[in-house]
Amino acid sequence: MTRIRVLRQILDRMVLTKEVWAAALTGGSMPPMDSAPPTDRTPSAMLARLERADAEFHGVLKDVRNRSAWDDTFVDALCEPPETFTFGGMFADVITFNAYRRMLAMDALRSLGAKVEGFGSPIEYVASLTSASDQ
C-alpha cells in the first residue's frame, strides 16, 4: 500500500468519525461506512465533508457546554442496537481517537516529505491561537 493511500485512509477515517458522531447527535442519517467514494476522498472534498460535520458536531457540543450537561445522556439510534452514551464520554472518545489518528496523519505527511511543525498537541494549538490573537 502506498504512503499516499495510507494517508488518505487515515484522513478519511478522521472525517468519517466526525460525520458519524454528528449524525448521531443531530438525528442525521448514517454516512456510508465502507469508505467514501473516490470523488469524496480528494483533499478538497474531505475538507468540505469535515467542515459540514464539524459545524454540526460543534453546535451540539456548544449547547452541552453552555448547559454544563456533560453527564446527560443521549441515545445513538444509529447503533445496532441503539446505545445510550453520556455527552462527556462521547466527547472523550472523539478526542482520544482523533488525537491518535492526527499523530498517524502527521507521521504519514512527514514520511512523504511534507514539513509538519509541532506534534499535534492541543497545547500547541491553544498556544497558536493565543499568539495569533496577540498579533
Side-chain angles (χ1 to χ4, degrees):
M1 187 177 307
T2 68
R3 291 179 187 176
I4 291 175
R5 186 171 177 205
V6 169
L7 175 60
R8 190 177 305 268
Q9 287 179 328
I10 293 167
L11 295 174
D12 184 55
R13 182 55 57 173
M14 290 172 75
V15 173
L16 182 62
T17 298
K18 187 65 69 86
E19 289 173 324
V20 169
W21 279 116
L25 292 167
T26 63
S29 58
M30 178 72 88
M33 294 298 291
D34 56 350
S35 190
T39 56
D40 287 349
R41 294 181 72 213
T42 64
S44 61
M46 282 194 284
L47 182 58
R49 288 172 45 212
L50 179 62
E51 288 173 346
R52 279 190 303 274
D54 210 39
E56 293 175 358
F57 185 82
H58 281 283
V60 172
L61 287 181
K62 284 179 189 175
D63 176 60
V64 170
R65 178 201 62 204
N66 292 343
R67 295 183 296 114
S68 194
W70 300 109
D71 291 331
D72 289 1
T73 59
F74 68 97
V75 175
D76 182 347
L78 299 178
C79 289
E80 287 292 329
E83 293 187 49
T84 301
F85 300 103
T86 64
F87 287 107
M90 176 275 307
F91 187 60
D93 182 84
V94 170
I95 290 172
T96 300
F97 285 97
N98 275 351
Y100 176 71
R101 289 183 182 117
R102 184 176 57 249
M103 289 189 318
L104 289 175
M106 291 174 74
D107 284 344
L109 285 164
R110 284 185 184 105
S111 76
L112 290 166
K115 182 181 179 194
V116 178
E117 294 183 22
F119 300 99
S121 165
I123 292 172
E124 292 172 334
Y125 174 72
V126 170
S128 74
L129 294 177
T130 304
S131 66
S133 67
D134 291 342
Q135 295 174 2

